[in-house]
Amino acid sequence: NAGVTQTPKFRILKIGQSMTLQCTQDMNHNYMYWYRQDPGMGLKLIYYSVGAGITDKGEVPNGYNVSRSTTEDFPLRLELAAPSQTSVYFCASSYLGVLDSNQPQHFGDGTRLSIL
Amino acid sequence: GENVEQHPSTLSVQEGDSAVIKCTYSDSASNYFPWYKQELGKGPQLIIDIRSNVGEKKDQRIAVTLNKTAKHFSLHITETQPEDSAVYFCAASNSGGGADGLTFGKGTHLIIQP
């Protein structure tokens, strides 16, 4: 199993550009999450999904969109990139959610995104 | 929502000594407390977790303690080794009514001095 795979690993965008961060998992997990990590800070939840076709906002959803058309994939989209979105983005997955069963989350290795 | 405070932000210990990292949380309804280790350029990796019905859990050189009354939990690493150098994050589950997922502390940079 590859676990959680994120692409690309690095990306530089200009202000106003758009892009999609890809995340795929091969563990047949129901739950998937997107976090952002700013320097010296913990991870903050952007969006999460409890299954295909269902998404919900986390703590910091503004400026982002997500979709979940399959169990495996959970892409994160930035429509109008802003400097405040410069961060490292982590995707995670778990079989069930922490509210349901305290399932551990498995993380990808992140996408480093710079908005200039 | 949940708020997690983590201390210290940086911890330097001699190889072989013990390291302790402490976290406090605000929401008494939180019931799951994982600890993650993050190495440079990698995603967080779960190293140990504890649920609210348990006061202590141990896995070889790593242990976690939980005090629900005081709303704090701690990570203990004994006989530290160079490969323990990393950033460690504590987290608490978001309780019902909030988003599913975890609220993280700001991390502790653990440095093991040879």
Side-chain angles (χ1 to χ4, degrees), chain B residues 11-23:
Chain B
L11 178 60
S12 180
V13 301
Q14 291 294 123
E15 182 178 351
D17 288 350
S18 295
V20 180
I21 302 170
K22 299 182 179 181
C23 289

Side-chain angles (χ1 to χ4, degrees), chain A residues 21-81:
Chain A
L21 283 67
Q22 302 291 346
C23 175
T24 188
Q25 52 89 12
D26 62 358
M27 298 174 281
N28 201 31
H29 283 170
N30 296 304
Y31 283 65
M32 296 187 75
Y33 307 83
W34 275 105
Y35 293 91
R36 60 177 286 172
Q37 184 179 34
D38 298 318
M41 304 292 287
L43 287 76
K44 291 189 180 295
L45 184 65
I46 304 171
Y47 270 96
Y48 70 101
S49 168
V50 305
I54 305 170
T55 62
D56 278 294
K57 295 179 180 179
E59 183 182 358
V60 289
N62 291 343
Y64 307 95
N65 281 300
V66 293
S67 59
R68 184 95 183 271
S69 56
T70 67
T71 299
E72 295 79 16
D73 301 306
F74 190 40
L76 177 72
R77 182 147 181 92
L78 284 69
E79 291 292 352
L80 288 170

